[in-house]
Amino acid sequence: MAELLPENTQVTFYDTKLRKNVDFKPRDEGKVSIYQCGPTVYDDPHLGHGRTAFTYDLIRRFFRYIGYEVTLARNITDIEDKIIAKAQQENVEESVITKRYEQTYLEQLDSLGIERPEFDPHATEYVPQMVELIKKLIEKDFAYETSTSIYFSVTDYKEYGSLSHSTLDDLIESAGSRIDVDEEKKSPLDFALWKKVKQDGPSWPSPWGDGRPGWHTECVAMSIGILGQGFDIHGGGTDLVFPHHENEIAQSCGVGDVFAKYWIHSAMLNINGEKMSKSLNNFITLKDAISQHGPRALRLLMIQTHYRSQIEVSDESLGAASAAMDRLDSFYRRFNRELDVDSSAQIDELIQRRFINLLANDFNAPQALGLVFEALREANISLDEKEYDRVKVLFVTIVELMQVLGIDLTELVSTKANIDENQILDLIEQRKVARETKDFSRADEIRDELISHGVVIEDGPKGTTWHVETKIK
């Protein structure tokens, strides 16, 4: 059970299907089972992929921190028309495309500190289970065959629209161009469970001829196959609520399975005030975002925004996140410069309880981060006042709680300066004199010289401090 959860505290979060906060009650005592819809691997992952993966990484870390055993499954969609088109364009096998972009996806998430899941099922591994699911849907009159496909009959599933809270007419209108045009379909909303092969491309045998499964069928087979019926949490980005997750529910419940208990969705993101979109030419790959701003600043930006709120990505927001990250790193360096880590120092239990209570309330990472920065301010004041016992407690607290949020301050290591301390202090004094005499050109030259030797200086209200240049392990 959740040993660290404070007495009278209940983990609650917003359930998309119920449209309200719910108390979390796991299927299995002391365990949490989560299925997150992963990427279709035909192109470089974008910033939205990173945001969704971060959300579930945070949820997983929190549950694990308070004592749950967590199982996360995050799929890889490696059967899809876009993959086939890309492979044909490059004149290579589909597996070349999927392996390339899966590797890129994993590398980018690794650099963001997003831990890999316990299970990463690939759609190609679960085709027999998908065929069995489709057979059951046909037997229960929820699916029908045409000359091109096997379709799910949406109008025969009376609960359709329960996740997106929409009528069939509303869904037809909102789906727009996403609806496949096929005159043999009974309803425009009917979606393909199995596509019969008409052209070159990967295919598998089935009772309806060679073909490949539809996207919406894949996740049903993988989630139930790995986590079992009635697993705890399912979700992804809000863009998956309809049609993908709506269609998953229809299939699973259509055959009588008990599907996910709870639904959690993370919001999209804006780039300089506009929704990220290729058509608006503001589409940012995860690789470019990490390269331009650094993985830690990018992750801190995600922590600063509640998962159900849109992230505003701009030079200003990333600059603020980078500055906040610098404050944490600066404290970590200062502590290690002035004090030794005390293995006997214990976490501040009051701060810890407040931190857990905040995350237990719909995973409120921004408020939890704010609490850490309150501790950071107190720690710097305590260092100034030489209250070292208190500083050591706060240091342990800050490092531990930031790890729960997915940022490891201890991964910051120093490189070696190529001049000694006396030379550094002499140059800092020369720079001070240059600034006092308004010789700012000379002051800048000295700063650049120090940087060339691996020394970074910081000007503050109490004078200039320095540290050896640091990097991430």
Side-chain angles (χ1 to χ4, degrees):
M1 191 50 192
E3 294 88 353
L4 280 184
L5 200 63
E7 189 176 357
N8 299 322
T9 296
Q10 170 69 50
V11 177
T12 65
F13 50 78
Y14 185 84
D15 184 278
T16 306
K17 189 173 184 181
L18 297 178
R19 280 185 165 178
K20 65 179 183 179
N21 276 9
V22 296
D23 291 344
F24 175 66
K25 300 185 186 307
R27 178 188 61 185
D28 304 312
E29 185 72 18
K31 297 180 179 181
V32 184
S33 48
I34 305 173
Y35 185 87
Q36 176 212 328
C37 281
T40 301
V41 282
Y42 71 96
D43 204 349
D44 288 322
H46 55 68
L47 207 48
H49 290 125
R51 204 281 167 93
T52 302
F54 162 77
T55 297
Y56 279 86
D57 186 62
L58 173 69
I59 292 171
R60 178 195 196 190
R61 285 173 182 269
F62 172 65
F63 274 123
R64 193 169 59 202
Y65 183 63
I66 60 176
Y68 282 98
E69 178 185 332
V70 185
T71 300
L72 172 66
R74 184 183 67 216
N75 75 292
I76 296 292
T77 297
D78 56 352
I79 311 172
E80 217 270 340
D81 291 347
K82 292 175 183 176
I83 295 172
I84 297 170
K86 186 91 167 186
Q88 291 174 344
Q89 179 184 339
E90 296 189 16
N91 195 28
V92 296
E93 294 292 325
E94 287 77 14
S95 61
V96 174
I97 301 298
T98 58
K99 287 177 181 177
R100 177 201 304 163
Y101 291 112
E102 178 184 357
Q103 186 62 31
T104 300
Y105 174 76
L106 293 174
E107 287 173 353
Q108 302 312 315
L109 296 194
D110 287 347
S111 70
L112 280 173
I114 294 172
E115 297 178 328
R116 297 197 180 189
E118 282 72 28
F119 295 95
D120 58 350
H122 292 58
T124 50
E125 302 166 346
Y126 282 79
V127 175
Q129 291 91 325
M130 297 173 203
V131 170
E132 289 303 310
L133 172 63
I134 297 168
K135 286 166 64 175
K136 290 179 182 178
L137 287 168
I138 292 174
E139 291 170 4
K140 292 181 176 292
D141 295 325
F142 282 117
Y144 60 93
E145 183 176 3
T146 70
S147 61
T148 63
S149 305
I150 307 296
Y151 285 108
F152 185 92
S153 179
V154 166
T155 54
D156 288 320
Y157 181 68
K158 302 308 178 187
E159 299 299 316
Y160 196 81
S162 62
L163 182 67
S164 54
H165 302 278
S166 302
T167 66
L168 293 182
D169 288 341
D170 290 337
L171 291 173
I172 290 172
E173 183 178 349
S174 66
S177 62
R178 288 180 296 182
I179 294 177
D180 292 330
V181 177
D182 186 338
E183 292 181 356
E184 294 184 67
K185 289 167 66 170
K186 295 179 181 178
S187 165
L189 283 177
D190 291 353
F191 56 91
L193 304 172
W194 187 263
K195 299 179 180 181
K196 300 177 183 180
V197 171
K198 284 186 175 180
Q199 55 189 10
D200 292 338
S203 64
W204 289 262
S206 83
W208 320 285
D210 290 352
R212 59 181 180 274
W215 174 39
H216 309 303
T217 304
E218 296 171 10
C219 282
V220 177
M222 289 185 282
S223 59
I224 293 289
I226 293 171
L227 301 176
Q229 294 197 29
F231 63 90
D232 294 312
I233 298 171
H234 192 337
T238 53
D239 58 325
L240 297 183
V241 173
F242 180 82
H244 187 49
H245 290 161
E246 192 78 71
N247 291 349
E248 283 188 57
I249 292 173
Q251 292 172 83
S252 180
C253 295
V255 297
D257 285 345
V258 179
F259 206 40
K261 293 180 65 177
Y262 306 103
W263 290 86
I264 296 177
H265 291 89
S266 58
M268 299 292 97
L269 47 85
N270 287 344
I271 307 296
N272 295 317
E274 294 184 302
K275 181 180 178 181
M276 187 176 74
S277 168
K278 287 185 177 179
S279 63
L280 294 174
N281 199 30
N282 64 353
F283 194 78
I284 300 178
T285 67
L286 198 50
K287 182 178 181 180
D288 286 345
I290 292 171
S291 174
Q292 292 170 18
H293 306 288
R296 301 167 96 231
L298 197 55
R299 182 160 188 129
L300 197 69
L301 177 64
M302 295 178 184
I303 296 170
Q304 290 173 326
T305 308
H306 191 271
Y307 78 93
R308 287 196 290 113
S309 299
Q310 285 192 332
I311 288 183
E312 294 292 336
V313 181
S314 64
D315 290 341
E316 291 77 13
S317 64
L318 283 162
S322 182
M325 194 67 245
D326 286 344
R327 288 174 59 196
L328 288 161
D329 289 338
S330 180
F331 167 69
Y332 183 81
R333 286 191 298 264
R334 183 184 177 193
F335 178 91
N336 283 280
R337 187 168 62 243
E338 298 182 24
L339 295 173
D340 293 324
V341 176
D342 187 347
S343 60
S344 66
Q346 299 295 312
I347 192 170
D348 184 305
E349 293 185 359
L350 176 59
I351 295 176
Q352 182 190 45
R353 284 198 299 273
R354 290 175 62 197
F355 178 87
I356 290 172
N357 276 323
L358 290 169
L359 284 178
N361 181 16
D362 200 20
F363 312 112
N364 199 324
Q367 289 190 9
L369 181 65
L371 181 63
V372 173
F373 273 90
E374 286 180 21
L376 178 65
R377 284 190 290 273
E378 182 187 350
N380 278 316
I381 292 170
S382 297
L383 258 178
D384 291 340
E385 297 177 352
K386 297 182 169 42
E387 296 174 354
Y388 295 137
D389 288 342
R390 180 59 179 160
V391 174
K392 290 176 181 178
V393 169
L394 290 168
F395 176 81
V396 170
T397 303
I398 291 167
V399 169
E400 181 169 316
L401 299 187
M402 285 305 297
Q403 284 179 330
V404 178
L405 296 175
I407 292 179
D408 184 1
L409 297 179
T410 67
E411 68 182 356
L412 197 70
V413 296
S414 296
T415 55
K416 188 175 180 180
N418 55 22
I419 55 175
D420 63 36
E421 184 171 347
N422 288 333
Q423 291 174 293
I424 294 170
L425 295 175
D426 181 56
L427 285 168
I428 289 175
E429 182 61 28
Q430 290 181 42
R431 179 174 175 271
K432 178 183 176 183
V433 171
R435 282 160 61 90
E436 289 173 347
T437 59
K438 301 189 183 304
D439 188 355
F440 297 115
S441 177
R442 175 59 182 153
D444 289 343
E445 288 177 2
I446 295 171
R447 177 189 286 273
D448 292 342
E449 182 179 354
L450 285 165
I451 291 174
S452 72
H453 291 299
V455 177
V456 178
I457 58 175
E458 296 174 350
D459 296 316
K462 296 186 178 182
T464 301
T465 60
W466 65 274
H467 62 268
V468 177
E469 186 179 16
T470 51
K471 63 180 181 179
I472 306 302
K473 288 179 185 176

